Amino acid sequence: MSLIIKSLTYIHPDNEELFRGLSMAIPDGEKASLVGINGMGKSTLLQMVAGLKQQTSGEIHTSEKPWYVPQHLGDYDHVSLVQALAVDKKLNALHAILAGDADTQNFTALDDDWEIDKKVEMALKKWGLDHVGPEQKLGSLSGGQKTKVFLAAIDLHHPQIILLDEPSNHLDAQTRNKLYELIKQIKATVLVVSHDKALLNMMDKTLEMNQKGIEVFGGNYEFYRQLKQEKVSALQAQLNDQAKTLKQTEKKARDMAYLRQKQEYRGKRAGQSNSLPRIIAGGLKSKSERSTAKVMNTQNEKISGLQDTIQETKSRIQQYQTLKIDIRSSGLHHGKLLVDLEKINFGYRTPLLQLPLSFQLRSGDRVHVKGNNGSGKTTLLMIITGQLEPLSGNCMRSDFSYLYLDQDYALIKPDLSIYDQVQQYNALGLQEHEIKALLVHSQFDGENFDRKCRGLSGGEKMKLSLCCLSVSNQTVDILILDEPTNNLDVQSLEVLTSAIKNYQGTLVVISHDAYFTTEIGISRQINLS
């Protein structure tokens, strides 16, 4: 086995338990995905396996040191390119030897890797990083470029265990395809955390991380998803049977209560008529009451137990089903001209486009803005919304309202509680219990309503943003999404996809996620590459 985890537990420094007793094993050469809702601890688990975070208890066994491609790339901004590639010591040793330093430590560090400088050059060129200097800090690179640095290191070190934490988050379509090709070709053991359906479907098996531990599904994501849908159907049938049984039990309890009333009435009349001696009549009455009360208690306990079982089944169904959140459109008549760009070019100092761009945005359009990293996609959105003006060309905008959702869901204020965040947008005047009911429906635990938003995961921020929109009484003319699927778990991606698919208004979206853009029903494309 390449990777074995036994009874792994992690408790945060503030004594909050993240997970307990996790166990799993991945054989040599197997490729597996780790899925589960945000906040379960998937990234933390990968960091433990990589040796970057210490578990509270339990064991981790690996056949060799894994190579780790991180999700939170900002943590490496102070690191140079060669340090991130983990070749700085070899390169320093090679340069020292070539400069005449024959210290044995240099030869030990180099380990006969005399072509290391050429290997680095080739790896960087493959991933489009040949323009980056060896001592350049990662903080000067874009998110996609940082990811490519860690991917390039795989070509240098040929690790036997590879850990990937949302590796396609910041990659353009061209680089994503390179990543997919790398996964196909390598023989290493791979464990990936991702919401990228194409990548997840390349895996041999799916591991679901949930409150009970890690559950193994022997297939890729589509296989896992199908099993989940079958489980929802089975649970729904189970729920229907439980509801039917509860209805029958409640009817039986009502019938028994009615029978008891009749018996008490007859007993009372028999006592009044003196047809039986008082002591016998009283004894019979007492015995009848005890017997009936015992049966009634049994029925009530059965009803209570069924109600608890039904609630548990509903919770399990909710866990597997895709949450439905509606985004209302303004109802503009289709075809109204909102933005007219004629032969524009843009950039911060020099024009980005080789040829000027002309296009019209009309109400009802569903536009996908495509382009490689750095091609100006976000800049174009800022021109559409009037935050920037083009360097050249003509730009006409009519009056329209818009909502801009970026990958960080910036409308969420970190210092507000979950409840206060929604309350801040509560233009509908919902009562406290109505807001809390909405949050529960949106899969927020009632115990966490006072939790600060700064601790929310990407998926939680997305769902909270949609909650804010639903109570704001704001019907936007244009919904603008800038890489909205980054930082989402697979379940949250399904929620967002469903909400955007059902949105009837004008849509402008930047996304490298082919599954997402296909599902939401794009009608037009603008390619800036």
Side-chain angles (χ1 to χ4, degrees), residues 429-470:
L430 297 184
Q431 299 297 312
E432 180 178 344
H433 71 276
E434 293 174 308
I435 293 177
K436 289 182 176 179
L438 173 65
L439 287 170
V440 169
H441 170 74
S442 303
Q443 299 174 344
F444 287 97
D445 194 327
E447 297 178 356
N448 294 324
F449 289 165
D450 293 330
R451 178 183 170 197
K452 295 296 184 185
C453 291
R454 67 163 52 88
L456 296 180
S457 66
E460 289 169 327
K461 287 180 180 178
M462 180 275 297
K463 286 184 277 194
L464 194 58
S465 296
L466 296 183
C467 282
C468 292
L469 183 59
S470 68

Side-chain angles (χ1 to χ4, degrees), residues 10 217 328 381 386 410 426 463 471 507:
Y10 182 74
F217 294 82
R328 289 171 295 155
L381 295 188
N426 183 20
K463 286 184 277 194
V471 303
L507 178 69

